[in-house]
Amino acid sequence: MKTIILTVMCCLALLFSACNSWLDVKPYDQISEGELNSTQEGFQKLLNGIYIELNDDNLYGSTLMMEMVEILGGAYEIGSDANVWSNYTDLKSYNYGTKYWRERLDATWNKAYALILNCNKLLSNMEEHKELFTGNNYNIIKGEALALRAMLHFDMLRLFGPVYSRNKEMVCIPYYTAQVLNPESLLPASEVVEKVVADLEEAKNMLAEDPVITQGTMMENVDNGTSNFLRYRALRLNYYAVTGLLARVALYAGMREVAFNNAVEVIRASNKGIFPFVDKSLVTGSPEDPDRIFSSEVLFALSHISRNQIFKNYFDPARSTYVFKMEANLLNNRIYGGLVEFGGSQDDYRCRVNWMATGSNRYFYKYSDMVNSGSIKNTMIPMLRLGEMYLIAAESQSDNLAAGTSYVNTLRSNRGVRKIASLTSDLLKYEYIRELYGEGQLFFMYKRLFAPVIWSDTDSRNPIPSDGIFVLPLPDSESDNR
């Protein structure tokens, strides 16, 4: 950690700006940190640099999205042949002690805390230069930076912390709210959650006048010579994305009322047209170019200009080695099968547009290129979506899951499938799988519930839940500096 704290990172990457396209790809590594901190636009660029660095393979460009953490969540069928599957065979066995996975976990931890440092540097420098900001820009930038700091800490807690419902006082990770020269103490998980919630609540307050509330996401470019900084709100931690993240955190920590209230706040915004359910015609009406990520429903997404490379790296059936896909029997019999107890249907939009048949196999196409490859939809990697808010509202409404049935049925009716008679714990888990597959959330669902990871349609093949599965060891780089 000392190495990270002493490293000056100036976001030597890319930035959003007002130009002829919605995304201008420019390096600004030749601009000094002092120059960036001397203007409002400089602070905007620094914040944009943090967003773009979230696409790093060690974070949400791979590890914490569609690769490592999804394997932990049983999303993909991993073979036993190490010549084909290499280090993934260890991960399937939850063997975190190999050199390869220790190094990978180190890299994820180090990158997350490096960006947390960047958030803290940004927040600190903003306080010293308040006079630079016009309009509501100070509040927007500060709110988003606080939310980014909270999100990164929370995902480190979910990965390396305890099963919260079983041992929330376990000491696990540090929480950095300032630039410091020495490592912060490891905190109990309960204190980490308190700090995450505090950051998110402050972020909501700072974003109370976010233009997303009155103008929606504004995902189209306006080439009128003005800055696009306050546009493309679905590509930023906007007010409703922060609200949704707070619902996710609260559910994880067992704060049911907080989770429910925040999830419902997002749902109400959706009902007013800010994050509407995807138009059926955009999913099933244009099969040659469907909106596979249901982009209108995405509360917060990263913009990854090489998203199709992710598809080619992991999911493309043309690959000559391993391909990530669900176990066939699980896909056909439970997730999208016709048995009432699992709630699946072949008519489900999530099945029809994301699972394409090649021979006797079906492959996952969520991250494949659209025909209109220049569309902003073609770059989006969903981080938070409306469907999760319906599931959180259903799960957190009361002790009795059946009370949440109507929320799940609203989601299902917008996925083209029949209603369920009454929500059960099994139906809820399968609905999470259908809604969030490939988005890095399934392992954390099982960890929160302390439930068996569903790898197979044969229950006896699914691992018994344990701390050995769900609690990843603290990275070597952190342990060595204690």
Side-chain angles (χ1 to χ4, degrees):
M1 179 56 70
K2 289 179 181 177
T3 301
I4 297 174
I5 293 171
L6 295 175
T7 299
V8 176
M9 294 188 62
C10 296
C11 306
L12 311 181
L14 312 172
L15 65 148
F16 296 100
S17 72
C19 58
N20 292 330
S21 62
W22 57 269
L23 178 64
D24 183 26
V25 182
K26 289 183 180 178
Y28 59 92
D29 53 314
Q30 301 304 313
I31 305 174
S32 71
E33 185 178 9
E35 289 178 275
L36 290 170
N37 287 327
S38 65
T39 66
Q40 176 176 263
E41 291 72 22
F43 281 101
Q44 292 172 345
K45 291 176 181 180
L46 286 168
L47 180 63
N48 289 336
I50 296 172
Y51 277 109
I52 293 166
E53 286 298 300
L54 295 176
N55 282 310
D56 189 276
D57 285 349
N58 293 309
L59 293 177
Y60 305 100
S62 180
T63 301
L64 296 182
M65 182 59 65
M66 65 290 294
E67 190 235 15
M68 185 196 81
V69 78
E70 280 294 82
I71 295 172
L72 297 181
Y76 313 129
E77 182 178 26
I78 305 296
S80 58
D81 186 350
N83 291 323
V84 175
W85 290 96
S86 187
N87 296 291
Y88 293 134
T89 58
D90 293 312
L91 202 61
K92 181 181 179 181
S93 301
Y94 300 100
N95 179 7
Y96 305 122
T98 65
K99 182 176 183 295
Y100 178 81
W101 289 112
R102 297 297 292 171
E103 290 177 351
R104 286 284 305 274
L105 292 171
D106 266 15
T108 292
W109 175 280
N110 290 341
K111 186 63 178 180
Y113 276 98
L115 293 187
I116 288 168
L117 169 63
N118 281 4
C119 291
N120 287 332
K121 287 171 66 67
L122 176 63
L123 289 164
S124 176
N125 289 331
M126 285 182 67
E127 291 299 308
E128 298 174 6
H129 298 87
K130 287 185 178 180
E131 74 283 356
L132 297 175
F133 298 92
T134 61
N136 196 39
N137 282 293
Y138 175 85
N139 290 339
I140 294 289
I141 295 171
K142 182 174 181 178
E144 291 184 24
L146 285 168
L148 284 164
R149 182 172 80 183
M151 182 188 75
L152 287 162
H153 276 112
F154 179 58
D155 279 347
M156 292 304 96
L157 171 68
R158 291 200 294 177
L159 198 60
F160 297 102
V163 177
Y164 197 85
S165 61
R166 290 165 53 85
N167 188 12
K168 65 181 181 180
E169 299 311 315
M170 173 182 161
V171 171
C172 52
I173 70 168
Y175 202 99
Y176 288 87
T177 58
Q179 301 176 69
V180 294
L181 294 177
N182 295 306
E184 293 280 11
S185 299
L186 301 179
L187 298 177
S190 60
E191 291 189 29
V192 175
V193 165
E194 288 176 6
K195 291 180 179 294
V196 169
V197 170
D199 270 351
L200 291 176
E201 288 180 341
E202 184 178 359
K204 275 191 73 172
N205 289 334
M206 300 302 295
L207 294 166
E209 296 181 18
D210 189 331
V212 73
I213 298 171
T214 56
Q215 300 178 62
T217 56
M218 298 181 289
M219 294 296 283
E220 68 287 341
N221 184 54
V222 177
D223 187 13
N224 59 5
T226 62
S227 171
N228 276 325
F229 180 73
L230 294 179
R231 302 189 67 82
Y232 307 109
R233 298 307 292 160
L235 300 183
R236 313 185 75 88
L237 277 166
N238 63 76
Y239 175 86
Y240 291 113
V242 173
T243 303
L245 183 55
L246 187 51
R248 178 187 284 176
V249 172
L251 183 70
Y252 194 81
M255 302 160 60
R256 261 206 326 250
E257 184 176 359
V258 176
F260 179 76
N261 289 340
N262 281 277
V264 168
E265 184 176 356
V266 176
I267 289 169
R268 287 172 179 157
S270 171
N271 291 338
K272 294 177 181 178
I274 296 179
F275 295 98
F277 277 111
V278 67
D279 187 327
K280 178 182 177 181
S281 66
L282 300 178
V283 179
T284 61
S286 302
E288 74 283 355
D289 204 19
D291 181 2
R292 292 190 172 94
I293 62 167
F294 303 170
S295 60
S296 66
E297 304 176 18
V298 176
L299 309 180
F300 169 45
L302 302 182
S303 182
H304 195 307
I305 59 174
S306 300
R307 193 186 71 179
N308 188 56
Q309 191 58 47
I310 294 171
F311 172 75
K312 291 182 177 296
N313 288 345
Y314 298 129
F315 305 106
D316 191 344
R319 282 180 56 80
S320 60
T321 56
Y322 67 83
V323 180
F324 287 164
K325 56 186 176 66
M326 193 183 296
E327 183 193 64
N329 287 340
L330 178 60
L331 179 71
N332 296 323
N333 298 340
R334 294 197 180 188
I335 306 305
Y336 294 112
L339 297 177
V340 173
E341 60 265 37
F342 304 122
S345 170
Q346 296 286 316
D347 293 328
D348 195 314
Y349 301 164
R350 295 165 293 195
C351 178
R352 291 173 64 178
V353 300
N354 285 329
W355 290 94
M356 304 289 106
T358 300
S360 59
N361 294 312
R362 282 198 286 178
Y363 295 89
F364 187 59
Y365 273 74
K366 180 179 283 187
Y367 298 115
S368 63
D369 252 353
M370 299 177 70
V371 173
N372 180 10
S373 60
S375 167
I376 195 168
K377 299 175 186 177
N378 202 51
T379 74
M380 292 172 70
I381 296 179
M383 297 283 284
L384 276 161
R385 63 170 58 253
L386 176 65
E388 184 181 357
M389 298 301 106
Y390 275 89
L391 296 173
I392 290 173
E395 186 177 348
S396 60
Q397 188 169 9
S398 74
D399 287 326
N400 180 9
L401 273 180
T405 302
S406 63
Y407 285 102
V408 172
N409 279 336
T410 298
L411 175 61
R412 288 173 61 84
S413 68
N414 284 280
R415 299 294 180 251
V417 292
R418 66 183 182 276
K419 294 183 178 180
I420 57 173
S422 183
L423 183 62
T424 66
S425 59
D426 279 344
L427 277 170
L428 182 68
K429 282 183 282 191
Y430 286 113
E431 206 60 47
Y432 269 112
I433 295 171
R434 284 185 282 266
E435 187 67 13
L436 300 177
Y437 189 86
E439 297 181 15
Q441 299 303 317
L442 303 184
F443 176 68
F444 299 132
M445 173 193 71
Y446 296 122
K447 182 172 182 174
R448 172 172 58 77
L449 298 172
F450 200 64
V453 176
I454 300 172
W455 284 85
S456 166
D457 74 323
T458 304
D459 291 333
S460 62
R461 292 174 57 194
N462 296 323
I464 297 171
S466 69
D467 286 343
I469 289 174
F470 291 129
V471 184
L472 278 66
L474 203 65
D476 295 335
S477 58
E478 180 65 20
S479 302
D480 292 345
N481 284 301
R482 294 287 165 187

